Each structure stands twice: as C-alpha cells, then as structure tokens.
Amino acid sequence: MPRSTSTDSTSEPAAPDSADSTRERIVAAATDEFARHGIAGARVDRIAKQANTSKERVYAYFRGKEALYAHVSLRELIRVAEATRMDPADLPGYAGRMFDHFTVTRPDHHRLVTWGRLELTDTDAPSGADTIRETVARKIDQLREAQRAGQLDPEWDPVDVLALVNQIATTWAAQTEIGAVAAEQAADPSLAARRAALVAAVERLFPRVTR
C-alpha cells in the first residue's frame, strides 16, 4: 500500500532552530566554559556539547577559541559597565554596585576577565579593546569633571581614583580564599558586612558629595 501523503491539519511542524538561537547558546556555553577553565583549558567540544550543537557550527560562527573568548569577554565587560554605571559624586555607591555584580550576581564574570588578563598578551588584545579603553577613558573624564566642579579632591589623579575604587570594589571577588576564612572568623561573616566595609573604605578616601 502506498504511503499516505496527507497530514493532520491539527499538527504543527516543529520550528527550525534559528541561527541566532544557536549562536546565543554557543556564547552562553562559552561564557561558562571560559569562566571555569580559562582560555587554554577551555575545550570547544565541551562548549558544543553544552550548546547542543557541533564543533563545526561553533567554528562556523567563530574562527577559533581565542575569537570566541574575545567576543564573550567584550560582551561581559559591556554588561558590567551598564550594570555599574559610575556617579563621580558617589564613588562609595559605585563601589557597592561593583561588589554586588562581581561578588553576588556574577562571580563568574570576574573569573572570566581575570583569565584573559593572565593568559593574553598585549598583542592578543580582544578585538573590542578600543571599546573597553573608551569606557575607561569616559569614566576618567567624569572624574576629572567632578574635580573641576568641586565634587572630588583635585589632588588625586583621576586614573588613580578609578584604579583604587575598582580594586577595593573587587576585593572579595578576587580574594575568595580570604572570603572563606571570613565566613568562619569575621565578627560578622555576612556578605552585607563585607560590602559595608568596602563601601566605608571608599567613603573615607573619596567621600560622597551632598547635593
């Protein structure tokens, strides 16, 4: 008997997997892989498996592992810039938002960026390095303008201000071994106490401006 070619009018054909969906799955899987294993330790076959696709599809979107890391790291740096917008008149608040992002919301982000700093040389800088530099330069300009407006001590070099605040804000994200000890030995082991301490440190260096 010949096979019937009729179809059930009530059934819907499965929607094909879109290219955008596949690419996003690859990027999400790569973000996790790079955060866990770094660039050298990351494996494209694991990324493909987690993304439910093939290695060939991964390479169809990104020419290599380094290119994929460059894309992921740039996207994450842009996200953190958006999540932690700086108010030069309230640097303690900015430090608190950075703490929230790197220590509470996205600890994997700090690991991801740190791997790149450790493994990439200056000549291997991501293709979006100019965007990152522009973001940093914009913050420095904001700080310089705050100094002109009397909102920030003009004795400080704005470059040092930004570097110090960023370093203080990421203290606990960068020093997880001390965080583990703090959970046992600190007078108040809570994350709220750690956050309050670093915000207070920035407040002493660069007090908020009361408008």
Side-chain angles (χ1 to χ4, degrees), residues 39-197:
I39 305 169
R43 295 291 178 266
V44 174
D45 55 347
R46 284 198 298 254
I47 293 171
K49 183 177 180 180
Q50 186 174 336
N52 194 29
T53 189
S54 65
K55 288 176 65 174
E56 290 73 22
R57 290 295 296 275
V58 174
Y59 286 120
Y61 289 108
F62 302 96
R63 66 180 182 275
K65 190 166 61 171
E66 290 73 17
L68 180 52
Y69 175 83
H71 175 84
V72 166
S73 62
L74 177 60
R75 190 181 76 156
E76 292 303 299
L77 286 168
I78 291 172
R79 282 182 172 179
V80 72
E82 292 173 349
T84 61
R85 292 187 181 278
M86 187 184 71
D87 179 355
D90 183 14
L91 293 177
Y94 168 65
R97 288 190 295 277
M98 288 194 69
F99 173 91
D100 293 339
H101 182 85
F102 284 115
T103 308
V104 181
T105 307
R106 293 294 305 275
D108 60 312
H109 173 87
H110 190 269
R111 294 194 302 271
L112 179 75
V113 174
T114 300
W115 278 116
R117 289 171 177 164
L118 291 172
E119 297 189 48
L120 295 179
T121 65
D122 291 341
T123 56
D124 295 327
S127 58
D130 288 344
T131 302
I132 298 167
R133 281 193 290 267
E134 288 168 6
T135 299
V136 172
R138 189 160 52 248
K139 289 183 177 181
I140 291 170
D141 287 342
Q142 285 181 272
L143 293 168
R144 189 171 287 116
E145 184 58 36
Q147 288 176 321
R148 296 191 189 103
Q151 298 174 334
L152 182 64
D153 186 348
E155 294 299 315
W156 287 94
D157 190 314
V159 174
D160 293 325
V161 174
L162 184 60
L164 287 168
V165 173
N166 285 354
Q167 189 67 31
I168 293 170
T170 57
T171 293
W172 296 108
Q175 301 187 71
T176 54
E177 70 284 357
I178 300 180
V181 174
E184 300 173 356
Q185 299 192 17
D188 181 346
S190 68
L191 278 177
R194 307 285 76 75
R195 186 186 195 278

Side-chain angles (χ1 to χ4, degrees), residues 3-52:
R3 187 186 310 175
S4 172
T5 57
S6 64
T7 59
D8 185 349
S9 60
T10 62
S11 64
E12 293 288 341
D17 188 20
S18 71
D20 286 345
S21 173
T22 302
R23 191 174 192 273
E24 280 305 306
R25 290 201 312 273
I26 291 170
V27 170
T31 301
D32 180 67
E33 179 75 8
F34 288 126
R36 289 174 180 270
H37 304 287
I39 305 169
R43 295 291 178 266
V44 174
D45 55 347
R46 284 198 298 254
I47 293 171
K49 183 177 180 180
Q50 186 174 336
N52 194 29

